[in-house]
Amino acid sequence: MGHREDLLEGAKRCLLAKGFVRTTARDIVKESGTNLASIGYHYGSKDALLAQAYLALVGDVSDAFDGDGTTASTTAPGSAERFHEVWSNIIGTMRGPGSMWRLSMEIVAMGDQLPAVRDHLAAQQRDAERALVALFMDIPEDEIPDKALDTVGRFYTTLMTGLIAQWNFDPERAPDADALTEGLRQVIEAATRD
């Protein structure tokens, strides 16, 4: 690995251990075995490196969103069964101790202290919406219309943000896929009642 990759891996470890606010450039250098000048040369700034490291962590964990990745889903796209299956997989990534999802809450709570990180991640939000719509609706990412991203994509990212908050705040009472799916059924039933 070169310095760029070493920095990214070191930053990922620092984020998991210390979070955004408490991670210093020196921490990253120590963890990666590189030097301070490498951060600026390869990433421009510590905050840009941390944002890239966070996105890499999300990418690592998002592979689990569609299960083991070896078999295609057998549930119908957009169905309650697909809704349950995907949320079950996503929630599985939140259960473990030291879940990287707490970093999302740090950005929400401390974003004004980390404007470069927040802005970098906000720019990636559309890609997150696209990935979630593709996963739930089984549509190739490059074929998803903007209207679907503006509605369904934002709906799923709002659910995701709420789940992350609940699993970080009170994991004992946070909803599982069964509760989410039943809640969805009840909301649809109430909304379609004459």
Side-chain angles (χ1 to χ4, degrees):
M1 267 197 293
H3 275 205
R4 181 175 179 78
E5 295 81 16
D6 291 340
L7 284 166
L8 188 65
E9 291 304 313
K12 286 165 56 175
R13 289 189 297 274
C14 287
L15 280 176
L16 291 172
K18 298 179 105 178
F20 284 100
V21 174
R22 292 185 12 220
T23 295
T24 66
R26 292 192 187 284
D27 292 332
I28 297 168
V29 166
K30 181 179 178 184
E31 189 65 35
S32 65
T34 61
N35 58 64
L36 285 172
S38 294
I39 293 173
Y41 178 77
H42 290 292
Y43 291 94
S45 70
K46 176 195 79 157
D47 286 346
L49 170 56
L50 290 177
Q52 285 298 316
Y54 175 76
L55 291 173
L57 287 168
V58 171
D60 293 346
V61 78
S62 67
D63 291 342
F65 288 6
D66 61 357
D68 62 13
T70 61
T71 57
S73 176
T74 59
T75 58
S79 67
E81 292 76 19
R82 174 71 62 97
F83 183 90
H84 182 277
E85 174 185 59
V86 174
W87 284 119
S88 180
N89 293 336
I90 290 172
I91 290 168
T93 69
M94 297 178 187
R95 291 185 187 277
S99 166
M100 56 82 44
W101 294 114
R102 71 178 165 73
L103 297 170
S104 298
M105 290 298 97
E106 186 177 0
I107 289 297
V108 169
M110 308 291 286
D112 59 335
Q113 295 177 31
L114 301 163
V117 174
R118 183 197 57 219
D119 293 347
H120 186 81
L121 296 175
Q124 304 298 316
Q125 189 67 29
R126 196 69 160 176
D127 291 337
E129 294 166 357
R130 190 176 310 283
L132 287 170
V133 171
L135 192 58
F136 283 96
M137 306 303 286
D138 202 22
I139 301 170
E141 289 188 26
D142 60 348
E143 295 178 18
I144 299 170
D146 285 343
K147 183 171 174 100
L149 294 176
D150 294 340
T151 55
V152 178
R154 290 181 181 164
F155 171 76
Y156 287 132
T157 56
T158 300
L159 280 177
M160 181 77 160
T161 303
L163 269 176
I164 292 168
Q166 290 184 42
W167 275 92
N168 278 283
F169 182 72
D170 187 4
E172 296 298 319
R173 295 193 60 242
D176 61 10
D178 292 339
L180 283 178
T181 306
E182 181 55 29
L184 177 67
R185 284 188 175 111
Q186 290 181 25
V187 167
I188 290 170
E189 181 180 311
T192 57
R193 203 177 294 141
D194 289 336

